[in-house]
Amino acid sequence: MCTHTPTCPPAESPDREAAHVVAAHPEQGWSLLCNGVLVFEDTGELLPDGRVVAPHRPVAALLA
């Protein structure tokens, strides 16, 4: 799906969040990355194969 040079990391990669945003909907709290990953405002993710990645916000962010 990615046409960038260099290509964005695939959805299975640990650095998948580094992919380019192709659709942003901040009013709804999510963005679609070019690798097919949906990233949510709470740092959760939905991968293209349907797997869910639980929110992983750093603890320091919760204390601020």
Side-chain angles (χ1 to χ4, degrees):
M1 191 165 153
C2 180
T3 58
H4 301 104
T5 303
T7 58
C8 292
E12 301 78 30
S13 175
D15 61 344
R16 62 183 154 259
E17 294 175 16
H20 289 261
V21 173
V22 295
H25 293 277
E27 72 282 359
Q28 296 177 356
W30 62 271
S31 295
L32 175 65
L33 305 181
C34 72
N35 57 8
V37 175
L38 278 172
V39 179
F40 296 96
E41 185 176 83
D42 69 353
T43 69
E45 301 171 5
L46 180 61
L47 303 183
D49 63 4
R51 290 182 291 150
V52 173
V53 177
H56 47 280
R57 183 176 295 160
V59 174
L62 298 175
L63 302 175

